[in-house]
mmCIF file of all heavy atoms in Angstrom:
data_model
loop_
_atom_site.group_PDB
_atom_site.id
_atom_site.type_symbol
_atom_site.label_atom_id
_atom_site.label_comp_id
_atom_site.label_asym_id
_atom_site.label_seq_id
_atom_site.Cartn_x
_atom_site.Cartn_y
_atom_site.Cartn_z
ATOM 1 N N HIS I 1452 -236.696 185.975 91.362
ATOM 2 C CA HIS I 1452 -237.196 185.164 92.480
ATOM 3 C C HIS I 1452 -236.542 183.788 92.487
ATOM 4 O O HIS I 1452 -236.085 183.303 93.529
ATOM 5 C CB HIS I 1452 -238.713 185.037 92.376
ATOM 6 C CG HIS I 1452 -239.344 184.356 93.555
ATOM 7 N ND1 HIS I 1452 -239.469 182.987 93.632
ATOM 8 C CD2 HIS I 1452 -239.871 184.859 94.706
ATOM 9 C CE1 HIS I 1452 -240.050 182.668 94.778
ATOM 10 N NE2 HIS I 1452 -240.306 183.777 95.450
ATOM 11 N N SER I 1453 -236.466 183.162 91.336
ATOM 12 C CA SER I 1453 -235.828 181.849 91.241
ATOM 13 C C SER I 1453 -234.341 181.931 91.588
ATOM 14 O O SER I 1453 -233.799 181.052 92.269
ATOM 15 C CB SER I 1453 -236.005 181.278 89.831
ATOM 16 O OG SER I 1453 -237.373 181.101 89.521
ATOM 17 N N TYR I 1454 -233.676 183.002 91.141
ATOM 18 C CA TYR I 1454 -232.243 183.154 91.405
ATOM 19 C C TYR I 1454 -231.977 183.303 92.899
ATOM 20 O O TYR I 1454 -231.063 182.659 93.450
ATOM 21 C CB TYR I 1454 -231.705 184.358 90.654
ATOM 22 C CG TYR I 1454 -230.250 184.641 90.921
ATOM 23 C CD1 TYR I 1454 -229.245 183.889 90.323
ATOM 24 C CD2 TYR I 1454 -229.877 185.659 91.807
ATOM 25 C CE1 TYR I 1454 -227.912 184.130 90.584
ATOM 26 C CE2 TYR I 1454 -228.547 185.916 92.073
ATOM 27 C CZ TYR I 1454 -227.568 185.146 91.464
ATOM 28 O OH TYR I 1454 -226.245 185.398 91.749
ATOM 29 N N ILE I 1455 -232.779 184.134 93.581
ATOM 30 C CA ILE I 1455 -232.557 184.348 95.012
ATOM 31 C C ILE I 1455 -232.867 183.082 95.792
ATOM 32 O O ILE I 1455 -232.121 182.701 96.707
ATOM 33 C CB ILE I 1455 -233.404 185.537 95.504
ATOM 34 C CG1 ILE I 1455 -232.777 186.848 95.044
ATOM 35 C CG2 ILE I 1455 -233.534 185.523 97.024
ATOM 36 C CD1 ILE I 1455 -233.453 188.083 95.573
ATOM 37 N N ARG I 1456 -233.957 182.414 95.457
ATOM 38 C CA ARG I 1456 -234.275 181.156 96.143
ATOM 39 C C ARG I 1456 -233.142 180.147 95.979
ATOM 40 O O ARG I 1456 -232.746 179.468 96.937
ATOM 41 C CB ARG I 1456 -235.578 180.588 95.580
ATOM 42 C CG ARG I 1456 -236.845 181.245 96.110
ATOM 43 C CD ARG I 1456 -237.157 180.754 97.519
ATOM 44 N NE ARG I 1456 -238.421 181.241 97.995
ATOM 45 C CZ ARG I 1456 -239.578 180.610 97.845
ATOM 46 N NH1 ARG I 1456 -239.614 179.456 97.177
ATOM 47 N NH2 ARG I 1456 -240.685 181.110 98.340
ATOM 48 N N ARG I 1457 -232.606 180.050 94.769
ATOM 49 C CA ARG I 1457 -231.535 179.095 94.493
ATOM 50 C C ARG I 1457 -230.260 179.487 95.239
ATOM 51 O O ARG I 1457 -229.548 178.625 95.772
ATOM 52 C CB ARG I 1457 -231.287 179.024 92.991
ATOM 53 C CG ARG I 1457 -230.311 177.943 92.563
ATOM 54 C CD ARG I 1457 -230.362 177.712 91.055
ATOM 55 N NE ARG I 1457 -230.062 178.940 90.318
ATOM 56 C CZ ARG I 1457 -230.961 179.634 89.635
ATOM 57 N NH1 ARG I 1457 -232.227 179.242 89.600
ATOM 58 N NH2 ARG I 1457 -230.614 180.730 88.974
ATOM 59 N N ALA I 1458 -229.968 180.779 95.289
ATOM 60 C CA ALA I 1458 -228.767 181.244 95.979
ATOM 61 C C ALA I 1458 -228.857 181.004 97.477
ATOM 62 O O ALA I 1458 -227.867 180.638 98.129
ATOM 63 C CB ALA I 1458 -228.548 182.728 95.689
ATOM 64 N N VAL I 1459 -230.037 181.194 98.049
ATOM 65 C CA VAL I 1459 -230.226 180.954 99.489
ATOM 66 C C VAL I 1459 -230.088 179.473 99.804
ATOM 67 O O VAL I 1459 -229.427 179.079 100.767
ATOM 68 C CB VAL I 1459 -231.593 181.495 99.935
ATOM 69 C CG1 VAL I 1459 -231.917 181.024 101.352
ATOM 70 C CG2 VAL I 1459 -231.617 183.019 99.885
ATOM 71 N N ARG I 1460 -230.720 178.618 98.988
ATOM 72 C CA ARG I 1460 -230.642 177.177 99.242
ATOM 73 C C ARG I 1460 -229.220 176.642 99.102
ATOM 74 O O ARG I 1460 -228.827 175.716 99.814
ATOM 75 C CB ARG I 1460 -231.567 176.430 98.285
ATOM 76 C CG ARG I 1460 -233.043 176.533 98.615
ATOM 77 C CD ARG I 1460 -233.829 175.456 97.880
ATOM 78 N NE ARG I 1460 -233.688 175.579 96.446
ATOM 79 C CZ ARG I 1460 -234.512 176.261 95.662
ATOM 80 N NH1 ARG I 1460 -235.550 176.891 96.207
ATOM 81 N NH2 ARG I 1460 -234.331 176.324 94.358
ATOM 82 N N SER I 1461 -228.447 177.234 98.188
ATOM 83 C CA SER I 1461 -227.072 176.761 97.996
ATOM 84 C C SER I 1461 -226.121 177.302 99.062
ATOM 85 O O SER I 1461 -224.967 176.881 99.133
ATOM 86 C CB SER I 1461 -226.569 177.178 96.607
ATOM 87 O OG SER I 1461 -226.482 178.592 96.503
ATOM 88 N N GLY I 1462 -226.599 178.229 99.896
ATOM 89 C CA GLY I 1462 -225.762 178.781 100.949
ATOM 90 C C GLY I 1462 -224.837 179.890 100.498
ATOM 91 O O GLY I 1462 -223.899 180.244 101.211
ATOM 92 N N ASP I 1463 -225.073 180.458 99.323
ATOM 93 C CA ASP I 1463 -224.216 181.524 98.811
ATOM 94 C C ASP I 1463 -224.650 182.905 99.280
ATOM 95 O O ASP I 1463 -223.908 183.878 99.088
ATOM 96 C CB ASP I 1463 -224.216 181.509 97.272
ATOM 97 C CG ASP I 1463 -223.588 180.241 96.712
ATOM 98 O OD1 ASP I 1463 -222.716 179.678 97.404
ATOM 99 O OD2 ASP I 1463 -223.977 179.817 95.609
ATOM 100 N N VAL I 1464 -225.837 183.010 99.857
ATOM 101 C CA VAL I 1464 -226.381 184.310 100.244
ATOM 102 C C VAL I 1464 -226.795 184.267 101.709
ATOM 103 O O VAL I 1464 -227.396 183.295 102.163
ATOM 104 C CB VAL I 1464 -227.597 184.690 99.365
ATOM 105 C CG1 VAL I 1464 -228.250 185.963 99.874
ATOM 106 C CG2 VAL I 1464 -227.162 184.878 97.927
ATOM 107 N N GLU I 1465 -226.459 185.315 102.420
ATOM 108 C CA GLU I 1465 -226.834 185.438 103.826
ATOM 109 C C GLU I 1465 -228.118 186.251 103.937
ATOM 110 O O GLU I 1465 -228.155 187.429 103.592
ATOM 111 C CB GLU I 1465 -225.714 186.137 104.595
ATOM 112 C CG GLU I 1465 -226.067 186.443 106.041
ATOM 113 C CD GLU I 1465 -225.005 187.311 106.691
ATOM 114 O OE1 GLU I 1465 -223.836 187.181 106.325
ATOM 115 O OE2 GLU I 1465 -225.381 188.134 107.558
ATOM 116 N N ALA I 1466 -229.190 185.599 104.405
ATOM 117 C CA ALA I 1466 -230.469 186.272 104.542
ATOM 118 C C ALA I 1466 -230.716 186.765 105.964
ATOM 119 O O ALA I 1466 -231.350 187.795 106.173
ATOM 120 C CB ALA I 1466 -231.610 185.332 104.129
ATOM 121 N N ARG I 1467 -230.219 186.017 106.954
ATOM 122 C CA ARG I 1467 -230.422 186.380 108.352
ATOM 123 C C ARG I 1467 -229.197 185.995 109.163
ATOM 124 O O ARG I 1467 -228.333 185.263 108.693
ATOM 125 C CB ARG I 1467 -231.662 185.665 108.922
ATOM 126 C CG ARG I 1467 -232.979 186.161 108.362
ATOM 127 C CD ARG I 1467 -234.112 185.243 108.790
ATOM 128 N NE ARG I 1467 -233.999 183.930 108.161
ATOM 129 C CZ ARG I 1467 -234.806 182.903 108.439
ATOM 130 N NH1 ARG I 1467 -235.745 183.038 109.340
ATOM 131 N NH2 ARG I 1467 -234.650 181.738 107.814
ATOM 132 N N ARG I 1468 -229.164 186.487 110.418
ATOM 133 C CA ARG I 1468 -228.073 186.157 111.319
ATOM 134 C C ARG I 1468 -228.638 185.625 112.623
ATOM 135 O O ARG I 1468 -229.743 185.974 113.026
ATOM 136 C CB ARG I 1468 -227.184 187.385 111.582
ATOM 137 C CG ARG I 1468 -226.438 187.868 110.346
ATOM 138 C CD ARG I 1468 -225.534 189.043 110.659
ATOM 139 N NE ARG I 1468 -224.830 189.493 109.452
ATOM 140 C CZ ARG I 1468 -223.946 190.490 109.448
ATOM 141 N NH1 ARG I 1468 -223.669 191.141 110.580
ATOM 142 N NH2 ARG I 1468 -223.343 190.832 108.322
ATOM 143 N N ALA I 1469 -227.849 184.778 113.281
ATOM 144 C CA ALA I 1469 -228.316 184.180 114.525
ATOM 145 C C ALA I 1469 -227.129 183.880 115.426
ATOM 146 O O ALA I 1469 -225.987 183.747 114.964
ATOM 147 C CB ALA I 1469 -229.100 182.902 114.242
ATOM 148 N N ILE I 1470 -227.406 183.794 116.715
ATOM 149 C CA ILE I 1470 -226.427 183.349 117.707
ATOM 150 C C ILE I 1470 -226.894 182.000 118.220
ATOM 151 O O ILE I 1470 -228.044 181.858 118.652
ATOM 152 C CB ILE I 1470 -226.296 184.354 118.864
ATOM 153 C CG1 ILE I 1470 -225.743 185.683 118.348
ATOM 154 C CG2 ILE I 1470 -225.390 183.798 119.950
ATOM 155 C CD1 ILE I 1470 -225.642 186.752 119.421
ATOM 156 N N LEU I 1471 -226.040 180.998 118.146
ATOM 157 C CA LEU I 1471 -226.387 179.655 118.580
ATOM 158 C C LEU I 1471 -225.962 179.467 120.032
ATOM 159 O O LEU I 1471 -224.881 179.897 120.438
ATOM 160 C CB LEU I 1471 -225.698 178.619 117.697
ATOM 161 C CG LEU I 1471 -225.936 178.761 116.188
ATOM 162 C CD1 LEU I 1471 -225.228 177.637 115.441
ATOM 163 C CD2 LEU I 1471 -227.419 178.750 115.875
ATOM 164 N N ILE I 1472 -226.838 178.829 120.792
ATOM 165 C CA ILE I 1472 -226.581 178.593 122.216
ATOM 166 C C ILE I 1472 -226.746 177.107 122.482
ATOM 167 O O ILE I 1472 -227.767 176.517 122.136
ATOM 168 C CB ILE I 1472 -227.545 179.406 123.101
ATOM 169 C CG1 ILE I 1472 -227.392 180.902 122.821
ATOM 170 C CG2 ILE I 1472 -227.285 179.111 124.573
ATOM 171 C CD1 ILE I 1472 -228.359 181.765 123.592
ATOM 172 N N GLY I 1473 -225.752 176.504 123.079
ATOM 173 C CA GLY I 1473 -225.835 175.098 123.429
ATOM 174 C C GLY I 1473 -224.688 174.307 122.853
ATOM 175 O O GLY I 1473 -223.771 174.852 122.224
ATOM 176 N N ALA I 1474 -224.726 172.991 123.073
ATOM 177 C CA ALA I 1474 -223.682 172.096 122.588
ATOM 178 C C ALA I 1474 -223.994 171.723 121.147
ATOM 179 O O ALA I 1474 -224.743 170.790 120.876
ATOM 180 C CB ALA I 1474 -223.605 170.852 123.470
ATOM 181 N N VAL I 1475 -223.410 172.463 120.224
ATOM 182 C CA VAL I 1475 -223.689 172.228 118.803
ATOM 183 C C VAL I 1475 -222.600 171.395 118.139
ATOM 184 O O VAL I 1475 -222.619 171.209 116.925
ATOM 185 C CB VAL I 1475 -223.820 173.579 118.056
ATOM 186 C CG1 VAL I 1475 -224.962 174.376 118.612
ATOM 187 C CG2 VAL I 1475 -222.512 174.360 118.113
ATOM 188 N N GLN I 1476 -221.667 170.884 118.940
ATOM 189 C CA GLN I 1476 -220.577 170.114 118.344
ATOM 190 C C GLN I 1476 -221.088 168.900 117.576
ATOM 191 O O GLN I 1476 -220.474 168.461 116.600
ATOM 192 C CB GLN I 1476 -219.607 169.648 119.442
ATOM 193 C CG GLN I 1476 -218.762 170.776 120.022
ATOM 194 C CD GLN I 1476 -219.487 171.547 121.116
ATOM 195 O OE1 GLN I 1476 -220.672 171.347 121.320
ATOM 196 N NE2 GLN I 1476 -218.771 172.417 121.810
ATOM 197 N N SER I 1477 -222.207 168.343 118.002
ATOM 198 C CA SER I 1477 -222.756 167.154 117.343
ATOM 199 C C SER I 1477 -224.002 167.486 116.533
ATOM 200 O O SER I 1477 -224.803 166.609 116.258
ATOM 201 C CB SER I 1477 -223.104 166.095 118.401
ATOM 202 O OG SER I 1477 -224.054 166.616 119.322
ATOM 203 N N SER I 1478 -224.173 168.747 116.197
ATOM 204 C CA SER I 1478 -225.382 169.182 115.492
ATOM 205 C C SER I 1478 -225.052 169.662 114.086
ATOM 206 O O SER I 1478 -225.463 170.747 113.676
ATOM 207 C CB SER I 1478 -226.084 170.284 116.292
ATOM 208 O OG SER I 1478 -226.406 169.858 117.584
ATOM 209 N N ASP I 1479 -224.302 168.857 113.348
ATOM 210 C CA ASP I 1479 -223.930 169.244 111.992
ATOM 211 C C ASP I 1479 -225.158 169.402 111.095
ATOM 212 O O ASP I 1479 -225.187 170.256 110.210
ATOM 213 C CB ASP I 1479 -222.981 168.217 111.383
ATOM 214 C CG ASP I 1479 -221.586 168.312 111.987
ATOM 215 O OD1 ASP I 1479 -221.358 169.231 112.793
ATOM 216 O OD2 ASP I 1479 -220.737 167.465 111.661
ATOM 217 N N ASP I 1480 -226.160 168.548 111.320
ATOM 218 C CA ASP I 1480 -227.371 168.643 110.501
ATOM 219 C C ASP I 1480 -228.056 169.986 110.712
ATOM 220 O O ASP I 1480 -228.561 170.591 109.759
ATOM 221 C CB ASP I 1480 -228.330 167.508 110.842
ATOM 222 C CG ASP I 1480 -227.811 166.154 110.388
ATOM 223 O OD1 ASP I 1480 -226.916 166.139 109.516
ATOM 224 O OD2 ASP I 1480 -228.293 165.129 110.897
#
C-alpha cells in the first residue's frame, strides 16, 4: 500500500486516463 501510494504521488504509475478540454497552456499547476 505504501509503495503504490508513493509511486502514484511521484508520477511513476498511471492509475487513470483523461482527456483535457480547454486552454491548458497556462495550467501547468
Side-chain angles (χ1 to χ4, degrees):
H1452 186 273
S1453 299
Y1454 177 77
I1455 285 185
R1456 281 283 186 91
R1457 187 167 58 251
V1459 169
R1460 285 197 300 268
S1461 65
D1463 295 332
V1464 174
E1465 174 188 328
R1467 290 170 292 175
R1468 294 182 180 182
I1470 296 177
L1471 306 182
I1472 301 177
V1475 298
Q1476 288 84 351
S1477 59
S1478 303
D1479 287 355
D1480 291 341

